[in-house]
Amino acid sequence: MQIDQATSTGSGSGSATGTDTHCPYCALQCGMTLRPVEGAASADGTSAGVEVAERPAFPVNKGALCSKGRTAPAVLASHARITRPLVRRSSSGELEPATWEEALDLVAGALERTRRLHGADAVGVFGGGGLTNEKAYALGKFARLVLGTSQIDYNGRFCMSSAAAAGTRAFGLDRGLPFPLSDVSRTGCVVLVGSNLAETMPPALRHLTELRSNGGTLIVIDPRRTRTAEQADLHLAPRPGTDLALALGLLHLVVAEGRLDQDFIDARTSGWPEVRSAAMAHWPELVERITGVPVPELRRAVQLFCDPENAMVLTARGPEQHSKGTDTVSAWINLCLATGRAGRALSGYGCLTGQGNGQGGREHGQKADQLPGYRKLDDPVARAHVAQVWGVDAAALPGPGRSAYELLDALGGDIRTLLLMGSNPAVSAPRAGHVEQRLRSLDFLAVCDVVLSESARLADVVLPVTQWAEETGTTTNLEGRVLLRRKALDPPAEVRTDLGVLNELAARLGWEKGFPVDAEEVFEELCRASAGGPADYSGMTYARVAEDDGLFWPCPEPDGAGTGHVTAHPGTPRLFLDRFATPDGRARFAPVAHRPSAEEPDEEYPLRLTTGRVLAQYQSGAQTRRVDELNAAAPGPFVELHPRLAGQLGAVDGDALAVVSRRGRAVAPARVTRGIRPDTVFMPFHWYGEGRANTLTNPALDPASRMPEFKVCAVRVELAAQAP
Ligand code: SF4
């Protein structure tokens, strides 16, 4: 493998000392430089020929990287890497090496056969929040044009869709953070709801540290005393599933203590009277009973939040992954609106998107109800615009399809063949044992991946594809900042890009044109398709996003573009300063009320399980479980529980605990800590096998976002075996 400087684009991109790019993992998209290692790639696969160096000029992480980003090149050279197509032959029943011709012919044949025998909607497509903007765009176009199916969604539905739905409901637009992350350090108070930044995005923590050095305060809301909570001025630990009541209780106190910003409410919002009534029904003592958070702590939180001139609320998966996730996020947005903490500099609500391209992945058409530019698939104007860019009749575009879990649940039923790209639902989906059975029941499963993930192992054909450092493409980070990931080295000889795979499949299915292999060409089309949409990229080019800081959307093409007399749009780092993106320009309060989780504890399942991530692993672990250093730091699943509960079970650290829910049983070692509520247990979800946390989780869906309830379900815990 050789460092490929020729493919670098724009200023500061490549030099004799390396290629500037971004981390392949989370939505912070930390800037880094890939440098050639003396001696280049090793023959035994232990070195990719590159190492990660700091890139201090990138403003989001200023050179800091977590262990995942620092070790990311190890996956490029991993022995687990798939370097040839694999085909399951009926003679052996095993996945065996095959040529690209044979593998692609098999996939195209299965797609065509299923369409012919069962109809276009019998073919499903499942994408991922880690795919670049170009891939997400091409995958959505492939599904709707080539396959003609409405059955496409992606794992980002599991990640931040409740915040997206609530943000759209309130502001008319969903962009994770409507301001640069660096603004966080200059506000007066940050309420961090259900986010453990210290483990999920460690470099982001510096913005909170700076906030406190600048005299600001940090409130963390989390049922666990996480590493992030330990740094807070105030930590509230509500029962899992009660964040909605907590936000309503704080709003009640804001009203009762005369902390409203009535001028802001009158000038820039609508719908306050109904929300005020809902909040007044959630008095502090009731909220204490529901959440377990004492009234004095509620009062203290209101004081810290309302005293400074500016404040922010940032939510993450904690409040979102619930059957009431959209309403819960709406309750936090209501709190911001009622106190005037929105639509002005250094104040506002933001969602901390999780997956690497979680933001861009939900803008360009791999979501069941969406067209590129964050347009709605059921909007006739949007359909006409995108159809014109694609050169087809709008009537040719199918309508909205099923959401992610509903799609997975339909596998083997009315969906007979699935194309899976950049996702590992056998580990990451809720009720994963059932989802695994559904994957097994398909007539045909085709998977594009870099390693033989647990889902790829079930496939009929596995297509080996390039990784982040071997291809060029854009991502959009949690701030809505569009960034260029540059190709730094060549992939193994028999590995192709996802765009190349879609190009080949489309050609076999009669679409010789329309699916370029070149990412920049796809980006140019994506920008045209997004023109005039909520997420407008039409003023962007690779050269522009290649600048060190990237470009924030919306970035429309200026009037008169092409005449040579216009100034390029600078992008939009801060949204809503003058008006919100609603028809009347006002932010909309959403009347919401507390309701129980889909599954509350009972005699048989008396505890609550909540799930999450650890520092050294990422999502389903398909990549990070291939890195020795990360495995040494986080070798496997565990069950975190309070000493009181451990005492009741007669368990000590290291004992094997069985956690049982209505969906299954998972076994993992006990980790006893005072940092968790006695009525709650926690499991990280990165692993497969008997410790798979998602065997237990509840697929109850939020009615608006269709996001599953990963964050709480009822369980019982049993001592399975004592530690040796
Ligand atoms: Fe990569 Fe996220 Fe770690 Fe940054 S915080 S290095 S983007 S995994």
Side-chain angles (χ1 to χ4, degrees):
M1 297 178 192
Q2 297 296 317
I3 292 288
D4 185 352
Q5 300 298 347
T7 54
S8 297
T9 310
S11 67
S13 57
S15 71
T17 54
T19 302
D20 289 346
T21 189
H22 296 271
C23 175
Y25 297 119
C26 83
L28 207 55
Q29 286 297 285
C30 290
M32 58 170 63
T33 300
L34 287 180
R35 287 201 185 129
V37 177
E38 202 64 29
S42 63
D44 64 0
T46 54
S47 169
V50 289
E51 64 180 5
V52 169
E54 291 184 1
R55 186 180 154 198
F58 185 61
V60 180
N61 63 311
K62 297 180 181 168
L65 296 165
C66 78
S67 55
K68 297 184 289 287
R70 208 167 25 74
T71 59
V75 188
L76 297 164
S78 169
H79 290 293
R81 184 87 190 262
I82 320 167
T83 53
R84 294 184 62 187
L86 301 173
V87 164
R88 193 176 302 282
R89 300 193 200 287
S90 50
S91 51
S92 70
E94 302 291 326
L95 284 169
E96 297 175 359
T99 64
W100 271 98
E101 288 301 303
E102 180 187 5
L104 288 166
D105 285 348
L106 278 170
V107 177
L111 295 171
E112 196 282 322
R113 190 167 54 252
T114 302
R115 275 169 45 86
R116 179 165 36 83
L117 294 178
H118 303 288
D121 274 356
V123 178
V125 176
F126 200 86
L131 299 179
T132 60
N133 291 323
E134 292 80 355
K135 294 179 188 181
Y137 172 84
L139 191 63
K141 182 178 177 184
F142 178 84
R144 294 186 174 108
L145 282 196
V146 178
L147 302 177
T149 182
S150 67
Q151 301 301 300
I152 173 171
D153 210 53
Y154 79 126
N155 62 20
R157 178 79 67 173
F158 299 158
C159 187
M160 73 296 287
S161 51
S162 292
T168 304
R169 184 154 80 180
F171 308 126
L173 189 68
D174 155 46
R175 197 181 85 185
L177 295 182
F179 42 75
L181 192 60
S182 54
D183 280 6
V184 166
S185 63
R186 296 187 293 131
T187 189
C189 174
V190 170
V191 184
L192 195 59
V193 191
S195 167
N196 184 10
L197 276 184
E199 300 217 40
T200 55
M201 296 179 177
L205 209 59
R206 72 165 45 195
H207 299 288
L208 296 175
T209 310
E210 284 173 20
L211 162 80
R212 298 187 70 218
S213 319
N214 293 340
T217 54
L218 173 64
I219 302 172
V220 170
I221 296 173
D222 197 308
R224 303 164 61 217
R225 189 158 183 83
T226 61
R227 291 187 203 178
T228 314
E230 280 169 4
Q231 303 193 26
D233 298 279
L234 179 65
H235 171 213
L236 309 183
R239 291 186 185 95
T242 64
D243 293 322
L244 175 48
L246 184 67
L248 283 160
L250 297 179
L251 184 55
H252 179 107
L253 284 169
V254 162
V255 177
E257 297 182 2
R259 298 287 201 144
L260 289 176
D261 186 339
Q262 196 62 51
D263 290 345
F264 179 87
I265 292 171
D266 293 343
R268 299 204 54 192
T269 71
S270 60
W272 168 240
E274 296 85 350
V275 167
R276 187 183 189 284
S277 302
M280 297 325 284
H282 291 76
W283 59 95
E285 292 73 17
L286 172 66
V287 169
E288 178 177 318
R289 280 204 296 280
I290 295 170
T291 64
V293 177
V295 172
E297 291 187 11
L298 298 174
R299 292 192 192 282
R300 175 80 179 133
V302 168
Q303 183 190 11
L304 291 178
F305 184 63
C306 293
D307 275 356
E309 188 182 347
N310 295 301
M312 293 177 177
V313 172
L314 304 177
T315 66
R317 307 301 80 74
E320 294 168 22
Q321 289 179 324
H322 292 273
S323 57
K324 55 181 180 233
T326 303
D327 282 356
T328 302
V329 176
S330 287
W332 289 105
I333 293 175
N334 288 344
L335 182 68
C336 289
L337 295 177
T339 52
R341 272 87 164 88
R344 58 191 177 87
L346 304 183
S347 275
Y349 162 78
C351 155
L352 296 164
T353 297
Q355 289 176 286
N357 195 30
Q359 179 70 50
R362 68 186 190 256
E363 295 167 2
H364 298 300
Q366 64 174 328
K367 207 172 168 191
D369 55 353
Q370 249 172 34
L371 287 171
Y374 224 140
R375 288 182 156 94
K376 299 295 284 181
L377 190 49
D378 56 6
D379 172 1
V381 177
R383 291 171 67 87
H385 172 82
V386 175
Q388 175 258 323
V389 173
W390 288 352
V392 298
D393 192 303
L397 303 179
R402 292 181 175 94
S403 73
Y405 179 77
E406 293 165 296
L407 190 157
L408 294 170
D409 192 35
L411 302 181
D414 48 339
I415 299 179
R416 312 296 315 169
T417 289
L418 182 72
L419 174 62
L420 185 64
M421 188 175 275
S423 187
N424 186 15
V427 176
S428 62
R431 197 186 173 197
H434 171 72
V435 167
E436 188 176 340
Q437 285 305 319
R438 296 291 86 215
L439 287 164
R440 289 181 192 278
S441 71
L442 283 162
D443 293 349
F444 192 91
L445 173 61
V447 174
C448 299
D449 213 327
V450 300
V451 293
L452 208 53
S453 70
E454 287 76 12
S455 302
R457 286 178 199 282
L458 308 175
D460 296 282
V461 173
V462 183
L463 303 173
V465 289
T466 44
Q467 296 189 46
W468 59 291
E470 299 163 347
E471 59 187 10
T472 295
T474 60
T475 58
T476 305
N477 80 350
L478 78 177
E479 308 164 286
R481 187 193 298 254
V482 183
L483 304 162
L484 188 67
R485 273 202 207 143
R486 298 178 175 87
K487 180 180 175 183
L489 67 171
D490 290 329
E494 284 290 308
V495 165
R496 298 189 183 179
T497 64
D498 290 296
L499 293 177
V501 168
L502 293 175
N503 168 286
E504 293 274 358
L505 291 176
R508 281 167 170 75
L509 294 167
W511 290 75
E512 295 288 343
K513 291 184 178 168
F515 292 89
V517 177
D518 178 56
E520 187 168 6
E521 204 179 319
V522 177
F523 186 74
E524 287 166 4
E525 183 182 309
L526 175 163
C527 291
R528 288 199 304 280
S530 76
D536 191 334
Y537 284 38
S538 60
M540 297 188 191
T541 62
Y542 262 24
R544 293 197 69 206
V545 299
E547 299 294 331
D548 267 348
D549 291 359
L551 267 180
F552 290 80
W553 68 257
C555 179
E557 199 175 20
D559 290 341
T563 65
H565 299 295
V566 290
T567 306
H569 192 285
T572 315
R574 293 175 183 82
L575 294 169
F576 313 140
L577 296 183
D578 301 320
R579 71 190 309 276
F580 294 96
T582 53
D584 63 3
R586 288 171 173 265
R588 296 175 287 224
F589 279 101
V592 294
H594 170 71
R595 59 183 186 271
S597 299
E599 198 176 70
E600 288 287 324
D602 58 15
E603 266 187 33
E604 199 178 353
Y605 301 98
L607 300 165
R608 290 180 172 87
L609 168 73
T610 191
T611 61
R613 289 166 49 189
V614 297
L615 171 60
Q617 299 288 351
Y618 180 69
Q619 306 295 41
S620 80
Q623 294 138 289
T624 49
R625 283 187 277 122
R626 270 72 185 185
V627 180
D628 292 345
E629 182 181 329
L630 300 179
N631 283 332
F638 56 86
V639 181
E640 195 175 280
L641 75 168
H642 191 273
R644 195 187 310 163
L645 176 58
Q648 290 164 7
L649 296 168
V652 297
D653 258 343
D655 284 350
L657 295 182
V659 183
V660 186
S661 79
R662 288 182 175 83
R663 289 149 297 279
R665 181 176 192 268
V667 179
R671 189 175 286 186
V672 182
T673 169
R674 292 194 174 278
I676 190 165
R677 298 175 54 91
D679 56 9
T680 300
V681 293
F682 167 82
M683 289 185 76
F685 63 80
H686 309 289
W687 290 273
Y688 182 72
E690 69 168 4
R692 178 173 62 186
N694 276 321
T695 298
L696 306 166
T697 47
N698 187 356
L701 300 179
D702 179 280
S705 68
R706 317 303 289 166
M707 190 173 199
E709 190 149 80
F710 287 100
K711 283 297 180 196
V712 63
C713 68
V715 296
R716 66 171 179 270
V717 179
E718 299 161 354
L719 183 60
Q722 289 182 324

